[in-house]
Amino acid sequence: MPKVLVSDPIDQVGIDILSQVATVDVKTNLTPEQLVQIIPEYDALMIRSGSRVTKEIIDAGTQLKIIGRAGVGVDNVDVPAATRRGIVVVNSPEGNTIAAAEHALAMMLSLSRYVPDANSSVKSGQWDRKSYVGAEVYKKTLGVVGLGKIGSHVANVAKAMGMKLIAYDPFISTERADQLGCRLVELDLLLREADYITLHMPKTPETTHLIDAEALAKMKPNARIINCARGGIIDEVALAEALKNGQIAGAALDVYETEPLGESALRALGKQAILTPHLGASTAEAQVNVAIDVAEQIRDVLLGLPARSAVNIPGISPDVMEELRPYMQLAETLGKFVGQLAGGRVELLNVKLQGELATNKSQPLVVASLKGLLSQALRERVNYVNAGIEAKERGIRVIETRDAAVKDYAGSLHLEAKGSLGAHSVTGALLGDGEIRITDIDEFPINVPPSQHMLFTLHRDMPGLIGKIGSLLGSFNVNIASMQVGRKIVRGDAVMVLSLDDPLPDGILTEITKVPGIRDAYTVTL
Ligand SMILES: NC(=O)C1=CN([C@@H]2O[C@H](COP(=O)(O)OP(=O)(O)OC[C@H]3O[C@@H](n4cnc5c(N)ncnc54)[C@H](O)[C@@H]3O)[C@@H](O)[C@H]2O)C=CC1
Ligand SMILES: O=C(O)CCC(=O)C(=O)O
């Protein structure tokens, strides 16, 4: 049975799902050193935001197939290191959307009415009504930075509360912002106009310290800012200074540059600052959602099935994956085939998606072709996760072309590999029952199913040649399962494809190339 390590607290429902297919160990509060030490025994790792999965941990996880983040942000996982090792990283893109949005809204209202400080004062025996005169959000301007899933829900609720909405998000369309009743503006204008600013984008090199001293200086003196996205998007030192000096009216933070928050000037601030310990996703509902979402994906990957929200496999949605599944096998087979014909170092792979495959949805077939091509060199080390990166690192240029006009089959795939030893191509398609057919090799039309051991020759179409090859194989005790020839003109160049019951013994290929009329011979093992 595979083994799964759960290194942060997750809902029991997730553990139950994982236990269907694996032995599950829940070990929380591990130090990075302890994690490095125990990770080699595990096939999967499930985390929340408490565990930082570094390159060192990933490299130590020699059995790891999948890392599941029970939440949205994967900034606590070294995704490039996982990708390089072919480890799938999955998250739960929507499981905690509502929880995080509601926390941001709770922070906005709490900031406006000083709820946390007023509560503490009553609990400490006081009855102070003068210190807590707040502000209404009604008719105020809310600036949403990052109008994705969480930002959109915040915008919808804020609109219902009568707020005016502006938004900054360089990656969304004006139409989408219009639908949400948001005026899309530049960040500079948002900072100057908004009474409330709420952040809902990922932490990236571009967003780190996006809200620095300069940005804070642009905000209105009555402005309040909320960060329930990621620590480090706001420069905490500059923020504490701006709050202390009354440069802005308030800030509510759920996330910090370093978590848990250590010694910080933020802790010394009064009612104008609200600090929560990364609680955005901490609702019973969200924790059930993310645990199910991620545990199911880990279970599926351990069973050899695709993950539905992998962050490091480009663009394979479950629906598309279902449609493409039979073609993925075709692409991988053709990749293996053309890689072996090309031999040597491949410099270019041209993937032509034909007929019904000539759509953008077929992009995963390019990855599958690369996986097949590289499997000769990398064996089981290459998978759908790292095929692209491995190809790039080997200097293999990939060209994708689409031709909907090719209609011999509903959909067909043509791969051409160019390298140090020349260029070769292969075309394949699926029959009605899903069986793979190789329909063309090096522009010679044929029609053969792939088999484990194959011999392929380029030769002159002349009497007696096929017999000689048959006798030669017989003298080496190799049994021929099937044979097919293809040619363009009589007595011109031709190809022969043989399916063999046995692998070709060493030395026979050289003997075959010595047969008069044979120009080239290749073995292919699938
Ligand atoms: N406090 C908490 O417990 C939680 C925090 N989060 C965090 O909330 C953030 C947003 O999550 P979702 O809405 O689910 O993500 P999402 O991917 O749906 O939306 C993110 C949006 O940010 C935008 N964006 C990217 N770069 C930007 C930039 N430079 N400036 C402005 N906008 C930019 C994107 O275009 C996208 O529309 C993530 O960082 C996530 O980790 C999510 C859940 C819980
Ligand atoms: O796991 C958690 O509680 C944090 C959630 C979070 O920050 C996220 O989903 O990005």
Side-chain angles (χ1 to χ4, degrees), residues 48-50 69-75 96 229-230 255 278 280-282 287:
R48 273 176 68 191
S49 57
R69 160 69 163 107
V72 181
V74 287
D75 45 301
N96 60 25
R230 272 297 174 270
V255 286
H278 205 146
S282 292
Q287 285 316 305

Side-chain angles (χ1 to χ4, degrees), residues 73 96 148-150 169-171 200-202 207 228 230 254 278 280-281:
N96 60 25
K149 291 180 285 295
I150 298 171
D169 187 326
F171 306 108
H200 298 292
M201 70 286 221
T207 62
C228 288
R230 272 297 174 270
D254 184 46
H278 205 146

